[in-house]
Amino acid sequence: MKQNPILEKIEAEQIKNPGEFNVGDTVRVYNKIKEGNRERIQIFEGTVMKFQNGGLRKTFTVRKLSNGIGVEKTWPMSSPFVDKVEVVRKGKVRRAKLNYLRQRTGKAAKVKEVIQ
């Protein structure tokens, strides 16, 4: 479905790219958190599980294990709260969405690393 050209122009101006990364990569997401009148940055490190949608509405989901419990967070790519995304390790995967990682823990939940 074709979108209104005026909306496309507005969205193109607002699109922000926090960094280049793919599904399977281990990343550090620098998340801005506002508490009262103070602002701080909290780091969330985990594996990128999936990307959804496209354009301004594009989101990515990161999963990590915290004390044996899986924690997933989803951020919009163009969010003003995502300061930057830093790639820790490049992963080698053959899927677009890594939903199978939800049933795995420990060593079984590891993604192979790309050696360059």
Side-chain angles (χ1 to χ4, degrees):
M1 186 162 82
K2 189 137 171 88
Q3 199 176 21
N4 187 339
I6 297 169
L7 286 176
E8 285 180 0
K9 185 180 176 194
I10 292 169
E11 283 186 4
E13 293 170 2
Q14 295 178 351
I15 289 178
K16 175 183 119 181
N17 192 3
E20 281 295 318
F21 56 98
N22 292 309
V23 174
D25 293 352
T26 302
V27 295
R28 262 189 211 117
V29 181
Y30 290 80
N31 190 24
K32 288 182 190 170
I33 294 178
K34 215 169 186 184
E35 293 172 333
N37 58 354
R38 294 177 50 219
E39 195 174 273
R40 66 183 177 88
I41 291 181
Q42 188 174 44
I43 299 172
F44 188 89
E45 184 174 336
T47 306
V48 179
M49 287 191 59
K50 61 183 172 181
F51 288 108
Q52 283 188 307
N53 305 326
L56 189 62
R57 293 172 212 73
K58 189 172 186 178
T59 61
F60 64 98
T61 302
V62 179
R63 178 182 177 84
K64 75 172 182 177
L65 282 174
S66 179
N67 297 324
I69 298 170
V71 179
E72 287 183 21
K73 283 191 176 182
T74 303
W75 287 280
M77 283 286 255
S78 300
S79 172
F81 296 111
V82 175
D83 192 36
K84 67 177 178 176
V85 178
E86 182 181 290
V87 178
V88 178
R89 277 192 301 274
K90 285 282 201 187
K92 181 182 178 185
V93 292
R94 296 170 66 181
R95 302 259 179 280
K97 297 195 170 151
L98 306 180
N99 293 323
Y100 65 88
L101 290 179
R102 290 181 178 143
Q103 284 82 37
R104 299 186 182 183
T105 57
K107 204 169 183 181
K110 284 180 93 175
V111 174
K112 285 185 182 173
E113 188 175 352
V114 174
I115 299 167
Q116 296 161 340

